[in-house]
């Protein structure tokens, strides 16, 4: 562009005139393009032309073009701020608002709260432990030596040789005993992890551990406690039965069943027609476990129990598949809304 005839006063006057006349968004976009487009906008052409002018003219023209550029930019920028955004033009204030959808406590939380409330009323302390556990707390101290089948890699998520995702909350018993002196009662809820996945098993689920230690704790205490617990959870009409079982950290050990809460007069799918449903594992604390934490096994006895919280919850709330607990489907969660 030949700048010999270009005058700042004329240039800026022309621009101001155009800017004053501009009324809509389209005008402003066109102006912006005409003056500031990098490719062929006037300011770009002026700056390119500046390279061609004589040495005498350059300082004055340079200054003027710069000033011209500044004013054009400032005007267009200011305009962009006040110009209404295209999107806002579509705002319809008469549309109905979005109703808030309040949340509710998760069914697992509801079940756990009920369980903890009951145990607290019975004088139990609430404790916990880490989800990443050492093999000592998850196995060794629980009388489960290295060659024990329960330590098979098949269902344990190992992190390294000494650390794993805990497969049970039973390690919380050891941690509690290391830091407390009998007599005591405690429960410890928490997440556990196993390589397991079907209608009633999930790789992560929750357990509640219980431990009672004192000088004359007997199997009768275990049975009475678990019967009262089962009635609190499933109704006064249920009874329990104990089946001999095996756990490394209890001797003797028992699995506890409750009378099926689903059976009417017909054989039922949940208990497979047996009339009984297993709810937990339990037993008298093995003396080896007391030795591992430095308790005198001749002085103290105790009972322990452990149960799956989802399992208790599924039975109480008649939920057919454990996956419902982790999918967070609103249609399922809304069933448990209170109020
Ligand atoms: N830890 C056992 C499991 O995960 C459950 C269990 C059984 C816990 C007996 C106990 C117990 O405290 O005494 O299957």
């Amino acid at each position: 562009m030949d700048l010999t005839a270009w005058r700042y006063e004329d240039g800026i006057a022309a621009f101001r005139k155009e800017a004053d006349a501009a009324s809509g968004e389209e005008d402003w976009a066109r102006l912006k393009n005409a003056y500031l487009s990098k490719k062929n906008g006037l300011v770009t052409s002026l700056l390119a032309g500046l390279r061609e002018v004589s040495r005498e003219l350059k300082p004055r023209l340079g200054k003027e073009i710069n000033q011209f550029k500044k004013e054009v930019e400032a005007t267009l920028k200011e305009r962009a701020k006040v110009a209404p955004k295209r999107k806002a033009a579509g705002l319809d204030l008469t549309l109905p608002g979005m109703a808030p959808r309040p949340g509710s406590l998760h069914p697992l939380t509801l079940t756990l709260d009920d369980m903890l409330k009951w145990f607290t009323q019975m004088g139990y302390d609430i404790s916990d432990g880490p989800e990443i556990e050492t093999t000592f707390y998850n196995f060794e101290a629980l009388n489960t030596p290295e060659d024990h089948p329960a330590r098979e890699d098949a269902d344990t998520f190992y992190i390294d040789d000494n650390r794993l995702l805990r497969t049970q909350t039973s390690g919380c018993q050891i941690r509690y005993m290391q830091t407390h002196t009998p007599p005591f009662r405690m429960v410890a809820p928490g997440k556990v992890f196993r390589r397991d996945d079907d209608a009633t098993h999930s790789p992560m689920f929750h357990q509640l551990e219980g431990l009672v230690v004192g000088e004359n704790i007997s199997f009768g205490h275990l049975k009475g406690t678990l019967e009262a617990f089962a009635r609190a959870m499933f109704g006064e009409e249920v009874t329990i039965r104990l089946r001999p079982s095996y756990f490394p950290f209890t001797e003797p050990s028992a699995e506890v069943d409750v009378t099926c809460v689903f059976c009417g007069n017909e054989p039922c799918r949940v208990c497979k027609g047996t009339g009984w449903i297993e709810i937990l594992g339990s037993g008298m604390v093995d003396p080896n476990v007391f030795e591992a934490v430095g308790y005198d096994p001749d002085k103290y006895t105790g009972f322990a129990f452990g149960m799956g919280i989802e399992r208790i919850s599924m039975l109480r709330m008649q939920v057919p598949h454990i996956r419902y607990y982790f999918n967070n489907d609103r249609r399922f969660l809304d069933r448990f809304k209170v109020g």
Side-chain angles (χ1 to χ4, degrees):
M1 181 173 172
D2 181 5
L3 294 189
T4 4
W6 189 80
R7 289 263 165 294
Y8 167 75
E9 292 77 15
D10 302 339
I12 203 69
F15 171 73
R16 285 176 188 154
K17 204 169 146 201
E18 276 193 274
D20 285 345
S23 62
E25 248 184 275
E26 268 169 41
D27 284 356
W28 287 104
R30 190 179 40 74
L31 263 190
K32 191 169 177 195
N33 193 50
Y35 281 83
L36 294 179
S37 156
K38 287 251 154 32
K39 239 166 67 200
N40 48 16
L42 181 60
V43 170
T44 313
S45 307
L46 288 172
L47 289 169
L50 192 57
R51 272 183 249 127
E52 313 295 324
V53 302
S54 66
R55 280 225 251 138
E56 295 78 53
L57 281 178
K58 212 174 229 170
R60 181 181 60 83
L61 272 176
K63 230 163 124 191
E64 290 182 356
I65 289 172
N66 232 352
Q67 201 179 334
F68 177 74
K69 181 179 173 219
K70 267 194 200 146
E71 179 168 339
V72 170
E73 279 178 347
T75 308
L76 290 172
K77 198 170 154 199
E78 198 52 37
R79 193 56 222 177
K81 263 196 236 154
V82 294
K85 287 267 178 331
R86 204 177 267 279
K87 271 191 208 131
L91 184 65
D92 181 353
L93 293 173
T94 64
L95 286 175
M98 281 200 285
R101 296 183 63 187
S104 52
L105 289 179
H106 194 279
L108 190 81
T109 307
L110 294 172
T111 304
L112 179 59
D113 283 354
D114 281 352
M115 291 162 85
L116 292 180
K117 193 168 155 204
W118 189 83
F119 280 110
T120 311
Q121 280 170 353
M122 300 295 272
Y124 283 66
D125 192 11
I126 298 173
S127 184
D128 64 3
E131 287 165 15
I132 295 177
E133 196 44 292
T134 63
T135 50
F136 175 78
Y137 286 103
N138 200 74
F139 292 131
E140 266 108 33
L142 289 164
N143 197 32
T144 315
E146 198 126 19
D147 51 2
H148 195 282
R151 288 187 65 157
E152 289 275 303
D153 288 7
D155 47 7
T156 306
F157 292 110
Y158 277 94
I159 292 167
D160 55 34
D161 284 351
N162 288 316
R163 286 178 308 162
L164 42 75
L165 296 182
R166 66 178 176 193
T167 59
Q168 52 186 1
T169 43
S170 302
C172 301
Q173 292 184 27
I174 305 300
R175 291 181 178 277
Y176 194 90
M177 286 191 276
Q178 284 177 334
T179 48
H180 294 78
T181 312
F184 60 74
R185 298 164 215 171
M186 79 85 166
V187 282
K191 289 184 169 63
V192 299
F193 307 85
R194 290 181 197 176
R195 293 171 186 262
D196 231 347
D197 210 357
D198 60 34
T200 50
H201 298 88
S202 146
M204 186 284 290
F205 63 102
H206 297 78
Q207 281 190 335
L208 182 85
E209 194 74 22
L211 176 68
V212 175
V213 181
E215 285 191 30
N216 284 303
I217 302 296
S218 71
F219 203 87
H221 293 122
L222 178 156
K223 191 175 176 205
T225 301
L226 296 179
E227 187 163 56
F229 169 73
R231 289 193 168 145
M233 286 297 114
F234 301 108
E236 281 307 313
E237 67 283 5
V238 303
T239 51
I240 62 166
R241 75 172 180 190
L242 276 64
R243 277 179 295 109
S245 183
Y246 173 79
F247 298 103
F249 33 89
T250 44
E251 182 58 36
S253 303
E255 270 168 332
V256 176
D257 299 340
V258 285
T259 42
C260 182
V261 280
F262 300 108
C263 277
N265 292 326
E266 293 168 24
C268 132
R269 223 162 37 95
V270 184
C271 69
K272 300 190 184 81
T274 62
W276 295 98
I277 299 175
E278 184 199 321
I279 54 162
L280 57 83
S282 64
M284 301 305 292
V285 180
D286 193 295
N288 288 342
V289 175
F290 282 150
E291 262 160 27
V293 296
Y295 283 6
D296 179 358
D298 292 328
K299 185 170 176 200
Y300 294 120
T301 52
F303 68 84
F305 53 89
M307 67 192 93
I309 303 173
E310 281 84 358
R311 184 170 176 76
I312 303 288
S313 186
M314 284 167 79
L315 292 173
R316 288 187 73 185
M317 299 176 171
Q318 314 206 355
V319 178
H321 202 299
I322 195 167
R323 206 66 58 76
Y324 282 106
Y325 283 80
F326 308 115
N327 280 350
N328 287 330
D329 185 326
R330 293 286 307 231
R331 289 166 299 182
F332 171 68
L333 297 176
D334 284 350
R335 273 183 50 193
F336 305 98
K337 224 179 224 170
V338 186

